[in-house]
């Protein structure tokens, strides 16, 4: 009987540890969500097409798409095709900032950046998340998620500028912690931006987009 009574607390302890391990972290704790509306969303798309040919906002979902053969976002740009939301009004150079949203990548999309922290030196960006053949990676490597296609996922990207630290959470799990890449000013972007080995058609969808700042 004594051994049986000892097993009860042990089993309870193991069950609690298992429960704790399966609980996702909420990366927004300690942050304040800042006011954000459609006026904060600058839609960057191929310069020779109207916005509604590469972007829609229906039932709370921002849908952005681009073709490999599209023009860049301005006539004097030599960058690859893109349709992205550039978040205006919250450029930052210090402090701790966070981008949160739910993203969705259709299976047809490959070789595209779907989210970035713009601003770096000598690089143009501090962070880019690339999707390639169903994976999601920090630039081309390392791979953060093996299967990202055709499902909604929660994305939280935190940049502590003063500590020079970047963190990426997907569905509440910390997938990446790395250093920043310089630069004096930064802002968040999401959408599709053609990269290496890009597919003919690229698309991503976003909802519940938020910008947060550490209290």
């Amino acid at each position: 009987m004594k051994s049986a009574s000892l097993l009860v607390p042990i089993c309870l302890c193991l069950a609690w540890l298992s429960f704790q391990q399966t609980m996702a972290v909420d990366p927004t704790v300690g942050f304040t969500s800042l006011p954000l509306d459609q006026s904060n969303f600058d839609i960057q798309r191929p310069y020779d097409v109207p916005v509604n040919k590469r972007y829609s906002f229906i039932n709370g979902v921002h849908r952005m798409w681009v073709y490999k053969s599209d023009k860049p976002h301005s006539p004097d740009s030599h960058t690859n095709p893109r349709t992205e939301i550039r978040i205006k009004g919250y450029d930052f150079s210090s402090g701790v900032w966070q981008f949160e949203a739910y993203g969705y990548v259709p299976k047809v999309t490959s070789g595209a950046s779907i989210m970035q922290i713009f601003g770096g030196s000598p690089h143009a960006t501090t962070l880019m998340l690339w999707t390639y053949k169903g994976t999601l990676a920090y630039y081309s490597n390392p791979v953060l998620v093996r299967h990202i296609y055709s499902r909604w996922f929660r994305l939280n990207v935190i940049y502590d500028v003063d500590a020079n630290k970047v963190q990426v959470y997907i569905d509440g799990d910390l997938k990446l912690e790395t250093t920043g890449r310089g630069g004096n000013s930064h802002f968040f972007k999401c959408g599709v931006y053609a990269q290496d080995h890009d597919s003919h058609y690229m698309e991503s969808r976003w909802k519940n987009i938020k910008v947060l700042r550490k209290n």
Side-chain angles (χ1 to χ4, degrees), residues 26-36 90 96-100 156-158 188 209-215:
D26 182 359
T28 66
V29 172
F31 285 78
T32 298
S33 183
L34 303 173
L36 202 67
Y90 293 114
V96 187
W97 293 76
Q98 180 172 174
F99 170 91
E100 179 184 53
N156 297 81
V157 176
I158 300 172
F188 298 120
I209 298 172
K210 297 179 182 178
V211 172
L212 307 96
R213 186 169 54 199
K214 192 88 178 246
N215 297 337

Side-chain angles (χ1 to χ4, degrees), residues 38 41-57 61-74 77 79-87 99 104-106 109 111-116 128-129 131 187-195 198-206 209:
Q38 202 68 16
F41 300 146
D42 179 22
I43 312 301
Q44 298 182 343
R45 83 284 180 187
Y47 69 81
D48 59 342
V49 297
V51 171
N52 64 3
K53 295 296 184 182
R54 294 294 183 271
Y55 167 84
S56 69
F57 181 55
V61 176
H62 304 268
R63 176 174 168 251
M64 288 162 277
W65 63 97
V66 75
Y67 294 90
K68 183 174 184 173
S69 57
D70 275 339
K71 303 289 187 184
H73 67 292
S74 68
S77 172
T79 58
N80 292 337
R82 74 182 76 195
T83 303
E84 294 181 298
I85 290 174
R86 186 267 205 237
I87 297 180
F99 170 91
Y104 183 98
V105 182
T109 302
S113 168
I114 63 168
M115 188 271 164
Q116 59 174 296
M128 296 181 87
L129 296 179
T131 181
F187 52 83
F188 298 120
K189 302 179 79 175
C190 63
V192 275
Y193 177 22
Q195 301 298 317
D198 47 327
S199 52
H200 169 69
Y201 174 85
M202 292 155 276
E203 177 186 330
S204 72
R205 305 169 197 170
W206 298 88
I209 298 172

Side-chain angles (χ1 to χ4, degrees), residues 178-190:
T178 188
T179 56
R181 287 161 43 108
N184 297 319
S185 182
H186 309 277
F187 52 83
F188 298 120
K189 302 179 79 175
C190 63

Side-chain angles (χ1 to χ4, degrees), residues 31 35 78 98 106 133 173 175 187 196:
F31 285 78
H78 300 288
Q98 180 172 174
K133 293 185 176 179
D173 294 328
K175 297 294 186 179
F187 52 83
D196 300 336

